[in-house]
Amino acid sequence: MIGPLIDKLFAEPSNAVIVRFLSFISEHLASAADFVFQQIISYTRRQKDLDEGAHPNYDAAERQLDLFNRLCPFLIVRLLPLRVFDDLNSYAFYDELPTKLATHDDECLGTQSTECVAGLLINRALSNSEYDDVRRLAAELCGRIHPKVLIPIMSYQLKNASNSKDLLKIKACLFSTCTSLLVRGTDAYAHPDVLQIRKAIETVLLWPSVDGDDISKAQHGCIDCLALMLCTELQASKAVKNSTSSEACFEQSIVSLGDSVAKGSVCSYVIHQLACDEDTIISLKLGRDEVPKAHLSFRLCMANVLISACQKVPRASKKPFVSKILPCILHSVKEIADSEVRAACIQVFFSMVYHLKSLVLPYSSDLLKASIKSLREGSEKERIAGAKLLASLMASEETVIQNISGGLLEARALLQDICSSDPSLDVRKMCQRLLLCLTSV
């Protein structure tokens, strides 16, 4: 039954009913996975490589049909459970990739055979001439490939793409890596080649960019990837048992995660790069005139990594996330010289209060002090960030409000002064709203 259904989908690639029916029998597809993969390989073997100019003269209808023809094999792959991707002995899916990678045959890092599904997915994901929808789906499915195969290939491809500034490939590699971190967790993060991915991410984050341009979009992918690494790292720390303290547990887990992390955890790296006023890496990569601006931009990216991580951290890791990061940034923000970086740190505090709620309770008084200090002494960006932080604290859970109640009188007096004298209209408006909330309580 499976063979005729797949043949029917290949004959009618835009037929959503067939895809839906196949989703109901995904376990049966999994039981016949090698047969399914062979069907997919046989079908895609007949398709022309778009690099060869297969569709330059297509009209809209022909182009749409060609898109579905190239998309439908991957729709079948997406229906399969993750355990199917775990079988490194599946020749139809992996061919000789696991063996070649285990024996350090570097040729397979750059060129993958399309005679196996894994190679087909990687090729389609990294093809600059492929349809966007096909490339995105292929990149997503690459994230399910076993990390022993995926991570070495993606680290190699990402390094080359960053060297040549191939933004489409960079985004595809990052998307696949992010999906792998989400799906595979520690198994992906523990791979030694993750360190090479981090180095490539560092390179991309140092490029000058403008909001909304293609480079900034690639940098957003880098930020999300680092955030997921950080979250995965914290999950790994919880898996380590019999430690004498939470800090020892964290450090022990890091050591156990392989060379990619043994040289420094992502969490420590991000905090250090955000908090450190001295340039430690950028001067080695850029010219003297480029360093100050790049260093500032890079530090702001690190703040955005923490903000992104606030939204991604799983429930079980939220408490260690707060205890590992918040005290460090609270301490560092007092010493940071650059006002933009200080404002970014206050934004991190706001995100933590907003997303992690009562978990910030032990630090809520210090957060209120940071908010008041930024409102009283900071630049316009700091004052706006400080007002947002104060608003988030005031809207927090009852336990947090009770803990900061002693400092709200000082905050109220400060808000009154700002409302009457601050040169920034935006700051005055925000503080007027906050003052109204305080006086109505």
Side-chain angles (χ1 to χ4, degrees), residues 333-334 368-378 382 414:
V333 74
K334 301 172 186 175
L368 180 63
K369 290 176 184 176
S371 171
I372 291 173
K373 181 178 174 65
S374 62
L375 280 166
R376 179 179 286 125
E377 304 173 10
E382 288 177 87
L414 177 59

Side-chain angles (χ1 to χ4, degrees), residues 311-333:
Q311 302 167 51
K312 294 176 172 62
V313 64
R315 182 186 297 272
S317 301
K318 285 184 176 181
K319 189 172 182 179
F321 177 80
V322 171
S323 62
K324 181 72 180 177
I325 293 168
L326 195 45
C328 294
I329 307 299
L330 277 167
H331 172 76
S332 298
V333 74

Side-chain angles (χ1 to χ4, degrees), residues 388-408:
K388 288 172 63 178
L389 174 57
L390 179 57
S392 190
L393 287 167
M394 288 167 53
S396 193
E397 296 179 9
E398 188 65 30
T399 52
V400 173
I401 296 172
Q402 288 177 356
N403 202 49
I404 65 171
S405 58
L408 290 179

Side-chain angles (χ1 to χ4, degrees), residues 243-262:
S243 298
T244 56
S245 68
S246 60
E247 182 67 20
C249 173
F250 182 84
E251 295 301 333
Q252 182 181 343
S253 70
I254 295 308
V255 171
S256 70
L257 283 178
D259 293 341
S260 65
V261 189

Side-chain angles (χ1 to χ4, degrees), residues 16 65 74 106 142 160 198 200 202 209 234 245 266 312 347 355 393 399 402 407 416:
L65 178 60
F74 299 151
D106 291 346
C142 281
N160 285 350
R198 282 174 51 182
E202 189 176 89
S209 64
L234 290 170
S245 68
V266 172
K312 294 176 172 62
Q347 288 279 11
H355 291 287
L393 287 167
T399 52
Q402 288 177 356
Q416 288 173 332

Side-chain angles (χ1 to χ4, degrees), residues 207-234:
W207 293 344
S209 64
V210 179
D211 283 347
D213 69 2
D214 286 338
I215 291 179
S216 72
K217 291 175 183 176
Q219 289 172 335
H220 284 305
C222 292
I223 287 166
D224 284 340
C225 194
L226 278 179
L228 284 169
M229 287 183 186
L230 193 157
C231 293
T232 307
E233 182 176 284
L234 290 170

